[in-house]
Amino acid sequence: MEHLVKPPKAAVFGAANGVMFMTFFGALWSAIGIIGSNKLGAPWLLVLSGIVTLTLLIGAISLFGKARNMNNVTAEKEREKWNKINRKFGMIFSLEGLAILIASVLCNLFDHFEVFFPIMAIIVGIHFFPLARLFRQNFYYGTGIVLSILGIISLFIPLNTTFGDVSLIARSTFIGFGSALTLWVTGIRIWITTLKQLKN
């Protein structure tokens, strides 16, 4: 049975930020999927996306509230540890953003923007691997693997297809909803795991 240790205040703030990131970027990927689906399943896909986004947003806010109410009695060594972790996270996140920017420029330069979203999913997936090691969260490896595989598969999906009378941007629909679901599940996992730790 997994032993859950009660996290310090800085760790709970970090978890809240993690849920917020998954909420925001999950909503962004969902929007890509909804646009690609060209009103197929409307308005239910939009409603479902809104419900999940709102639920995770509430989760993130609740964790921020719990963190603020915690006693800030943390050893100097522990505070320094989390300051170092936060600096490394900032560096990893900045490198991810830079890689996405470079990919966007290159895709436009070579007139192949249709492969940008799959490449972006792969970049986002790869950035979870150093995060897994940094935060010692093995399920981040799963998130990274799934996003990377989704990105690779979507490169082989036709750009456009027809479903009934609706013309879809099939690649955007697949990678958008697939990535959104992956990030949402990750956000829920962070939220639930942190709540369990706080109950110890």
Side-chain angles (χ1 to χ4, degrees):
M1 183 177 178
E2 184 183 3
H3 178 64
L4 298 176
V5 179
K6 190 168 185 177
K9 184 172 184 174
V12 179
F13 268 119
N17 279 318
V19 176
M20 188 66 78
F21 272 105
M22 302 307 160
T23 304
F24 175 77
F25 288 106
L28 179 62
W29 279 111
S30 179
I32 291 170
I34 290 171
I35 292 170
S37 66
N38 196 20
K39 297 182 180 179
L40 182 68
W44 303 113
L45 290 175
L46 182 60
V47 171
L48 179 60
S49 176
I51 291 172
V52 176
T53 299
L54 181 60
T55 301
L56 279 171
L57 184 61
I58 291 171
I61 293 172
S62 72
L63 288 181
F64 278 122
K66 289 180 182 298
R68 289 193 185 95
N69 292 330
M70 291 175 69
N71 293 326
N72 197 21
V73 181
T74 308
E76 181 65 29
K77 187 176 181 180
E78 188 71 16
R79 281 198 296 270
E80 180 57 33
K81 170 192 166 185
W82 279 97
N83 287 336
K84 188 176 180 181
I85 286 174
N86 288 332
R87 286 194 296 270
K88 287 184 177 180
F89 169 75
M91 183 176 67
I92 293 169
F93 185 74
S94 298
L95 289 173
E96 177 201 21
L98 179 61
I100 291 173
L101 177 62
I102 292 172
S104 174
V105 171
L106 291 177
C107 287
N108 272 310
L109 184 64
F110 292 102
D111 198 25
H112 280 292
F113 197 77
E114 73 278 2
V115 301
F116 172 64
F117 290 139
I119 291 174
M120 183 167 73
I122 294 170
I123 292 171
V124 175
I126 290 172
H127 111 286
F128 273 97
F129 292 102
L131 290 184
R133 184 174 182 180
L134 178 64
F135 291 108
R136 297 181 181 179
Q137 298 289 351
N138 288 333
F139 70 90
Y140 279 175
Y141 286 116
T143 301
I145 290 169
V146 171
L147 285 172
S148 299
I149 290 174
L150 287 173
I152 292 169
I153 291 174
S154 64
L155 288 170
F156 298 95
I157 291 177
L159 182 61
N160 299 299
T161 190
T162 301
F163 188 84
D165 297 328
V166 181
S167 295
L168 307 176
I169 306 175
R171 186 175 294 167
S172 296
T173 303
F174 175 80
I175 195 63
F177 288 130
S179 298
L181 181 60
T182 304
L183 293 180
W184 284 337
V185 169
T186 303
I188 292 170
R189 172 66 186 269
I190 296 170
W191 181 17
I192 293 175
T193 300
T194 306
L195 289 178
K196 287 181 178 178
Q197 291 172 334
L198 288 172
K199 287 181 181 178
N200 287 345

